[in-house]
């Protein structure tokens, strides 16, 4: 982007905001919403796994995968690539489990599935995320495309990845709004502590996501012409 | 971004999607929601001005402002800059009127203000948009900073502009979800034609916004090293 800034400070800010956001979503789901469970008579506890896994598992681990080339710029490129694809795979699996918990809660309490914009964008996002992972694996890891193909595919991989990442952030914002709207309709105070906690968590996620995107597009070192890690020619 | 694609095709897609999104939001507010009015006994008609002005006035006109350097690449730079700042100013004013209509509807029907994530992000977005406009006016138009200052400020202007633009898109998505959730709570069919229309409008807005962002970062001509219009040295 020709910004003349290094990625490193943005990765520090992102890590700090990730810890804050993770603490806030856990405090919300445990203190205000009663805790987490995969099996329970209180079906709300099954739902609570959803925001925790989507934020900490899907978004935060996915963010670490995106930033790894900037967090560990001096580490061997094959190693950072391996960390990148493993972290994205874990994020994808935890995201799928998180989505499963939302369906499980709906199905065990008779709530309709897949009618909201949150659910539509969410299904679209995790599907694109999976497709992006498979193409990335085939093109850049195994069996690996020819060097000139990889070279021309890399900017697209990064651009589509950032697009899917921003979709994931937008879906999270929609999720916070949707859940809080339901809670406020059932009587919680619109200006009370839980409403403020959820809205501020959503704002922290926006700032976190912006830091991750800037860290992803900014160069690891200022002398580099652009932000993407170079592909070795071997 | 080193994508090896020109901006032009993305501007065509963006224009087409803008027409579709504008038609969809008008059809929703007029056909399903009863029409638009600044003064009316039916206060819902006052609210309906809000989504129409925010999408067509704020987001679509703002998008045209962002894309003008790519839509008219052969036009004199001072002219495109003037169009850019005038379109953004109109978008800002129409956005402010649109927000006023939401408050007016709330105040005339006793609905609480500024408790939702949509309202928080919306106020934040239009505030940043206004600050960005003022800084851009002072730095690039009048009195105009020194050439070296403009040169180093331009990537930041573009990056912050894209950030505020993505916030505006996210706020629009939150607005569609929030309004539709209220309507579904009041009884409209979760899988009925109005729910599908609103959700598909929101998806068109996502694709529209993605086209605008790619058009903004892609170069007008392939021989250019990066996507930003060059600043003349005068």
């Amino acid at each position: 982007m020709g910004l003349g800034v290094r990625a490193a400070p943005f990765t520090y800010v992102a890590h700090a905001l990730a810890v804050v956001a993770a603490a806030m979503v856990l405090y919300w789901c445990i203190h205000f919403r009663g805790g987490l469970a995969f099996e329970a008579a209180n079906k709300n506890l099954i739902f609570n796994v959803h925001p925790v896994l989507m934020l900490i598992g899907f978004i935060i681990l996915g963010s670490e995968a995106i930033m790894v080339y900037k967090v560990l710029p001096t580490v061997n490129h094959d190693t950072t690539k391996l960390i990148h694809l493993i972290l994205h795979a874990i994020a994808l699996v935890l995201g799928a489990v998180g989505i499963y918990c939302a369906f499980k809660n709906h199905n065990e309490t008779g709530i309709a599935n897949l009618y909201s914009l949150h659910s539509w964008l969410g299904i679209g996002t995790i599907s694109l995320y999976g497709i992006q992972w498979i193409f990335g694996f085939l093109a850049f890891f195994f069996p690996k495309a020819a060097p000139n193909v990889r070279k021309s595919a890399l900017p697209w991989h990064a651009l589509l990845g950032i697009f899917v990442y921003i979709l994931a952030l937008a879906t999270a914002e929609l999720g916070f709004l949707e859940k809080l709207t339901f809670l406020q309709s059932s009587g919680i105070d619109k200006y009370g502590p839980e409403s403020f906690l959820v809205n501020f968590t959503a704002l922290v996620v926006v700032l976190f996501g912006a830091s991750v995107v800037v860290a992803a597009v900014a160069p690891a070192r200022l002398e580099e012409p652009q932000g993407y890690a170079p592909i070795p020619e071997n």
Side-chain angles (χ1 to χ4, degrees), chain A:
Chain A
M1 301 288 267
L3 276 179
V5 289
R6 284 192 315 128
F10 293 93
T11 65
Y12 308 151
V13 171
H15 288 140
L17 291 173
V19 171
V20 173
M24 288 173 91
V25 77
L26 283 171
Y27 188 70
W28 175 40
C29 290
I30 295 169
H31 176 75
F32 283 100
R33 296 283 111 223
L36 314 169
F38 280 106
E39 297 290 345
N42 179 357
K43 302 301 178 191
N44 292 330
L45 307 190
I46 298 170
F47 179 84
N48 295 345
V49 178
H50 177 69
V52 169
L53 279 188
M54 298 324 285
L55 186 57
I56 300 178
F58 189 59
I59 291 187
I60 294 180
L61 282 188
S63 306
E64 294 296 337
I66 289 169
M67 293 191 296
V68 68
Y69 300 110
K70 308 305 164 67
V71 171
L72 306 171
T74 57
V75 170
N76 173 282
H77 184 71
D78 285 339
T79 308
T80 46
K81 191 195 284 186
L82 194 66
I83 298 173
H84 178 75
L85 78 87
I86 290 174
L87 279 177
H88 271 314
I90 298 172
L92 199 50
V93 170
L94 292 178
V97 175
I99 291 174
Y100 167 77
C101 288
F103 277 97
K104 183 168 157 68
N105 164 263
H106 289 179
N107 294 342
E108 295 183 8
T109 52
I111 296 173
N113 281 311
L114 294 177
Y115 67 86
S116 77
L117 184 61
H118 171 66
S119 64
W120 288 24
L121 271 188
I123 295 291
T125 301
I126 201 160
S127 304
L128 287 173
Y129 200 106
I131 293 167
Q132 167 87 345
W133 192 91
I134 292 167
F135 270 86
F137 186 91
L138 296 174
F140 301 111
F141 192 74
F142 183 83
K144 226 177 192 176
N148 62 323
V149 175
R150 278 183 282 146
K151 197 176 174 184
S152 56
L154 185 62
W156 287 102
H157 178 73
L159 185 76
L160 280 172
I162 289 172
F163 173 65
V164 174
Y165 181 68
I166 292 173
L167 278 185
L169 295 170
T171 306
E173 298 297 303
L174 290 170
F176 286 121
L177 178 90
E178 188 177 31
K179 181 66 183 175
L180 191 55
T181 303
F182 290 140
L183 293 172
Q184 288 166 340
S185 306
S186 332
I188 79 160
D189 183 358
K190 289 186 171 67
Y191 303 99
E194 182 170 359
S195 293
F196 274 70
L197 174 65
V198 174
N199 282 346
F200 276 110
T201 308
L203 292 186
V204 170
V205 170
V206 168
L207 297 176
F208 167 64
S211 315
V212 172
V213 170
V214 174
V217 298
R221 295 176 206 82
L222 273 189
E223 59 271 29
E224 281 180 23
Q226 59 173 18
Y228 308 120
I231 300 187
E233 290 296 307
N234 64 316

